[in-house]
Amino acid sequence: MAVVISIDAGTTGVRSFAVDEQGKPQGWAYREFTQFFPQPGWVEHDATEIWEAVQATLQDLLTNHLPAGTAVAAIGITNQRETVVAWDRTTGKPLHRAIVWQDRRTASDCERLVEAGHLETVRRLSGLVLDPYFSGTKMAWLLREGGVENSTSLALGTIDDWLLWNLTGGVDGGVHATDPSNASRTMLYDIAGRQWSAELSEILKVPLSVLGEVMPSSARFGTVRAPIGGGALAGVPISGILGDQQAALFGQACVKPGMVKNTYGTGSFILMNVGASCPEPTDGLLTTVAWDLGRNGGFAYALEGAVFVTGAAIQWLRDGLQIIESAADIGPLAASVASSDGVFVVPAFTGLGSPYWDPYARGTIVGITRGTGRAQIARAVVESIAYQVRDVCDAMAKTANTTVAELRVDGGAAVMDLLLQLQADQLGVPVCRPVVTESTALGAAFAAGLAEGVWASTDEVLSSWQEEHRFEPSGPRELADVGHNDWKRAVARSQGWARP
């Protein structure tokens, strides 16, 4: 039996995940890595620690979770997308801590670019908004203030690129490349022209020479040369790269225009497949590349809504307020009360993403009374996740001039029945949880396996998707709307709080 391994390098940890030729999970290994918060609004990672976590989880997977002698047909990579690594290709060392997608240090830079009249060009070419969420201004900051000097040995890239380079040999001929799904998150990629943009490079002051080659998402990028697993992976092709949310869209079988998925992770990311034609920019949402499967299935775009904090709010209840001991406690505690009794939590810890795009918003709790307890606050956090996803889905339906027929969901919080029922009630459509909720890892594995012939076509890949549970809307629609309207009042109070 051959397996395909997916390396899922997320925001808080790395998972190495193996699936067989039927798309069934065969084992996984996970390791968290350190989160650094050097200043308010700044979030960083140690890129070397991420690479070490990749090596450790691959070793663990091979040694402890797969039968001895299991053949590995291909490796796929999926990753937190906008996080930026600068490294020296001569020494192999990172030149600064990785700046994470959540980081807001370039908010004022984005404002200056808007004031200089660049927003329309950025929207037209990249499909993005001028927000510190994206990679371009992070790269510019590293070159301007981060002590990173432009040179022939400098590499700037997203996490997929950093891992690919190390896996394929590093200083000894490592491949410096990415795919369109990740490139389209940098604010330096022309999504209609499908290439790095000289015009955006000039606006952001990031030289294109330091960026990697953009290759199809499903293609052979290189082969493993790093000494992992006692050489057990030597020569295995690395044949798929997808940004985590596009990988989840693919893993959820959303291959037809109009299909929508949401991943409940550190944040929540709602994507709608809009087909092979690049749509016009739209307020409140992003236009992004879904994937380039090349000869294996073609090119697709997506509309995206990015919610910065959902699962991270549950971690805050656990680590910051210590209201719960583990993330798994949130569901039972929130379900122990029938409502939040008018309490609303707006978890704008790092600003608000879609559809508000306010980097100066900050977290807010409103509606507290003397009777408010742990359970009401916990339920308000769970409700905030459902409200934020509704905000995005409403904007998508309006933009695409269509209705969202159903929402396919995955990610850590998708195990919470209360959340998914609240989500169905807010959207007024079914919410579907698949049998395999690790859709991000699954999508990257599928992309890699397609390139190497493990699966002959997208139809063969996607026939493996199975529904585990469907949550139908319940209760009066008017009641859901009242809650959502009060939510929007709470959001208004959080906006602009940290503006200088």
Side-chain angles (χ1 to χ4, degrees), residues 8-48:
D8 182 358
T11 305
T12 56
V14 171
R15 176 179 284 101
S16 288
F17 183 87
V19 299
D20 65 16
E21 295 169 359
Q22 285 74 48
K24 296 179 180 178
Q26 297 300 305
W28 58 273
Y30 179 75
R31 176 170 292 190
E32 287 191 357
F33 50 77
T34 309
Q35 310 292 307
F36 297 94
F37 306 99
Q39 295 185 33
W42 291 29
V43 189
E44 296 179 349
H45 291 159
D46 181 342
T48 299

Side-chain angles (χ1 to χ4, degrees), residues 101 125 231 266 359 440:
W101 59 271
L125 292 174
T266 303
T440 301

Side-chain angles (χ1 to χ4, degrees), residues 344-357:
F344 290 83
V345 175
V346 182
F349 303 149
T350 57
L352 288 170
S354 301
Y356 304 101
W357 294 111

Side-chain angles (χ1 to χ4, degrees), residues 67-84:
T70 298
V72 179
I75 291 174
I77 298 172
T78 182
N79 58 290
Q80 48 164 318
R81 296 170 297 176
E82 298 80 9
T83 298
V84 171

Side-chain angles (χ1 to χ4, degrees), residues 193-217:
R194 303 182 188 179
Q195 61 185 352
W196 294 122
S197 168
E199 190 171 358
L200 292 172
S201 168
E202 177 60 29
I203 290 171
L204 295 175
K205 307 303 180 189
V206 176
L208 299 183
S209 59
V210 302
L211 303 176
E213 179 185 359
V214 181
M215 297 175 62
S217 312

Side-chain angles (χ1 to χ4, degrees), residues 291-341:
W291 48 69
D292 177 6
L293 301 180
R295 61 181 178 82
N296 302 308
F299 204 94
Y301 293 94
L303 289 177
E304 177 172 338
V307 177
F308 294 155
V309 173
T310 52
I314 296 172
Q315 293 174 327
W316 169 69
L317 290 182
R318 181 192 66 190
D319 302 334
L321 299 187
Q322 299 181 355
I323 283 177
I324 54 176
E325 291 187 4
S326 70
D329 296 337
I330 183 71
L333 180 59
S336 70
V337 291
S339 77
S340 61
D341 291 339

